Amino acid sequence: MVSKVWIDGMNDLGEELYEGLFEMLPSGKAIKKAISLVSSWRDRSLLKKYEMFIRGVDIGIENQVKLSEYFVTKEDKQEFFNVIIKVLDDVESEEKVSYLVNLTRSLLSNCINLDDYYRMVNCVKTLLIQDIKFLQDNISRKDFRNNPNIDALFLMGLMYQSELAGTQEDEVDKYSFTALAHHLDKYGISFGDEEKYTYGGERKELSLTS
């Protein structure tokens, strides 16, 4: 569970990291000062992931402006900050941080909307890396027989039951990837793989609200 230091953003450390996202200050300066304020291994691990996230997204003035366009009010900005800090604290690998970077870059490029961004961030946080790799390696296939990977992806809304078992003994339920799963791979897991995907064009909305 994330400590109150990170959630409320009211002490020096939280304020420095928050300002590195939104207040038009150099993010590197915010990170450098934050490092001097932490002592525990856990907080240093979180800072390392936060630094990777900030540098990967390239939080400079241009992207700070874009973030401020998405998150107009102080409350919206604080919610985004809280989500990012909580997720970074929970993820267990730098590989997952890279997926969060890709999703955030896709959001800032207007490839995905905010609702779907939060949904996909939650998928990255919750799923085992093995389940994410299964999705990435098999996204172009459909009608799978059930297995543990599919159970996990189904619970996250990334697969649906595409075929019901018939009356014959050898007939089983089959599962296929949802539109959200295709979005997650294109804009998060495999983002930038132009051999696999074509980028550009009109944004496809998955959510009812943008």
Side-chain angles (χ1 to χ4, degrees):
M1 189 174 203
V2 123
S3 65
K4 191 172 185 298
V5 168
W6 298 100
I7 287 296
D8 61 23
M10 293 303 292
N11 61 11
D12 289 342
L13 178 57
E15 287 176 0
E16 285 298 321
L17 297 180
Y18 179 89
E19 288 176 353
L21 273 177
F22 289 111
E23 300 302 323
M24 310 306 171
L25 298 175
S27 56
K29 178 183 176 183
I31 293 167
K32 185 176 180 180
K33 184 171 182 181
I35 288 172
S36 70
L37 295 169
V38 301
S39 56
S40 73
W41 175 88
R42 180 171 172 273
D43 283 349
R44 286 186 178 274
S45 175
L46 175 54
L47 263 182
K48 182 180 178 182
K49 289 182 284 188
Y50 183 85
E51 181 177 14
M52 181 180 173
F53 175 81
I54 287 288
R55 296 193 187 283
V57 176
D58 186 21
I59 300 294
I61 297 299
E62 182 180 349
N63 278 337
Q64 284 175 327
V65 170
K66 288 181 181 178
L67 280 173
S68 293
E69 290 172 354
Y70 268 103
F71 308 102
V72 178
T73 69
K74 174 76 172 179
E75 290 75 19
D76 290 339
K77 291 177 181 178
Q78 190 67 52
E79 179 185 8
F80 175 76
F81 175 75
N82 290 348
V83 167
I84 291 300
I85 291 297
K86 179 68 171 71
V87 170
L88 288 172
D89 192 54
D90 286 346
V91 298
E92 69 278 12
S93 68
E94 291 185 358
E95 193 166 9
K96 280 194 173 184
V97 177
S98 71
Y99 301 152
L100 299 174
V101 166
N102 292 342
L103 287 171
T104 306
R105 290 174 61 194
S106 296
L107 177 70
L108 294 175
S109 299
N110 202 37
C111 296
I112 57 177
N113 67 37
L114 186 58
D115 290 345
D116 292 328
Y117 171 81
Y118 281 139
R119 288 189 182 94
M120 289 185 279
V121 163
N122 186 52
C123 290
V124 170
K125 179 189 76 170
T126 306
L127 289 168
L128 294 176
I129 197 70
Q130 291 87 344
D131 298 323
I132 292 174
K133 289 296 185 183
F134 177 86
L135 184 155
Q136 183 181 32
D137 293 342
N138 295 282
I139 192 68
S140 62
R141 297 174 57 200
K142 61 181 180 179
D143 293 334
F144 293 86
R145 289 170 176 259
N146 195 27
N147 66 42
N149 300 114
I150 288 169
D151 286 338
L153 295 168
F154 183 83
L155 287 174
M156 297 305 299
L158 298 172
M159 298 200 83
Y160 69 97
Q161 194 169 2
S162 55
E163 187 176 317
L164 292 172
T167 57
Q168 302 300 316
E169 265 187 44
D170 61 344
E171 292 181 322
V172 296
D173 295 338
K174 294 183 179 179
Y175 298 84
S176 296
F177 290 109
T178 63
L180 184 64
H182 286 274
H183 251 45
L184 176 58
D185 188 52
K186 181 174 183 177
Y187 296 112
I189 304 166
S190 300
F191 182 67
D193 185 346
E194 295 186 353
E195 292 184 3
K196 190 174 186 180
Y197 292 109
T198 300
Y199 293 90
E202 189 173 333
R203 182 174 75 179
K204 181 179 179 182
E205 301 287 352
L206 299 181
S207 303
L208 293 177
T209 57
S210 58

